[in-house]
Amino acid sequence: MATFFGEVVVAPSRAGLDEEEEAREETPEDREIRKEIEKKREIDVLWTWRSGGCAEEPLACSRFVVAIGRNAAAFLSSFILDSVCWEVVGVVKLWNEWCRTSSTTNVLPTDSFCLFYRLISDPTVLLCQCSCYVAEDQQFQWLEKVFGSMQKKGLQVTILSTCPVADYKTQESTLTLVSPFLRALKTKEFQEQVCCPLLEQPNIVRDLPAA
């Protein structure tokens, strides 16, 4: 621990440890516990549209809007889902340090904090309301299983997320910023007009939105 500003603190190192400690193998009990934890942390994606059709057939999807985080999910509920034009078609089951979804297989809002909705008038438009925490070791699995169920050709994905104003890096004082405000990131394939200014450097996106 540093005692004054600028002091060089040597980080702990594993160099010099006994060879016996380095070569210590995982015990059968440790291996069993690790496998159980890995199994428990597996993500399950359940779709109602697959109950009567082919399980391997990809879902036709033209637009996929994902709201990640409580604020983004609340925005989706207030301004888009507050109508009878949507139906629940899927749910994500996951378990980690901050999220405990139900083990039931029913697709109900009370069973999960990550739900998929389909526009009744246009079934190729999907929304995802993800207000739960997805751990780092689960993010790739989340993406793989969710997007693995959809066709990729002609698919436009929009991600909605929020972050604290204090994390926003700018030369101006954050006290003078009108909050909330919007910034956007886009890929080179997106050719449409962006509805707000692009996110300035060196700001970055983290966690599931970045994945």
Side-chain angles (χ1 to χ4, degrees):
M1 181 176 180
T3 57
F4 62 90
F5 181 75
E7 179 182 1
V8 177
V9 180
V10 180
S13 173
R14 291 182 59 85
L17 294 178
D18 294 337
E19 293 183 0
E20 294 182 359
E21 184 176 348
E22 288 287 348
R24 185 176 58 184
E25 296 183 357
E26 188 179 35
T27 64
E29 292 79 9
D30 292 340
R31 191 179 304 112
E32 187 67 24
I33 293 174
R34 179 177 55 81
K35 288 182 179 180
E36 287 296 325
I37 293 177
E38 290 177 354
K39 184 178 180 180
K40 198 169 186 179
R41 294 177 73 90
E42 288 183 0
I43 291 178
D44 293 323
V45 181
L46 308 175
W47 300 94
T48 58
W49 60 273
R50 282 187 166 179
S51 58
C54 178
E56 301 299 328
E57 182 181 356
L59 176 63
C61 185
S62 60
R63 291 180 180 268
F64 184 38
V65 180
V66 187
I68 301 175
R70 293 182 178 179
N71 292 332
F75 174 83
L76 210 64
S77 294
S78 301
F79 295 98
I80 299 179
L81 292 173
D82 190 18
S83 67
V84 295
C85 301
W86 302 88
E87 60 177 346
V88 178
V89 294
V91 64
V92 173
K93 305 288 186 180
L94 58 88
W95 181 95
N96 56 46
E97 296 82 359
W98 300 101
C99 183
R100 303 287 194 275
T101 58
S102 172
S103 60
T104 180
T105 57
N106 296 327
V107 182
L108 296 174
T110 56
D111 295 335
S112 175
F113 296 100
C114 189
L115 293 169
F116 298 95
Y117 298 85
R118 180 166 59 184
L119 185 62
I120 297 176
S121 59
D122 184 358
T124 65
V125 178
L126 289 181
L127 300 180
C128 176
Q129 195 177 33
C130 183
S131 59
C132 61
Y133 172 74
V134 182
E136 289 186 3
D137 63 313
Q138 296 175 316
Q139 292 172 8
F140 177 76
Q141 187 183 166
W142 192 98
L143 295 170
E144 188 178 42
K145 293 190 175 182
V146 170
F147 285 95
S149 305
M150 304 177 185
Q151 66 176 16
K152 308 300 187 299
K153 186 177 181 180
L155 174 61
Q156 178 178 307
V157 180
T158 302
I159 309 295
L160 304 176
S161 66
T162 61
C163 68
V165 177
D167 293 344
Y168 181 66
K169 297 176 177 62
T170 176
Q171 294 181 351
E172 304 177 23
S173 172
T174 55
L175 298 176
T176 62
L177 293 174
V178 179
S179 182
F181 57 91
L182 290 175
R183 292 294 184 269
L185 289 174
K186 67 182 185 70
T187 62
K188 60 182 179 181
E189 287 79 12
F190 186 80
Q191 301 298 328
E192 299 181 17
Q193 184 69 28
V194 180
C195 65
C196 61
L198 296 178
L199 184 65
E200 305 90 345
Q201 295 182 352
N203 294 286
I204 61 174
V205 178
R206 299 181 176 87
D207 302 322
L208 187 59

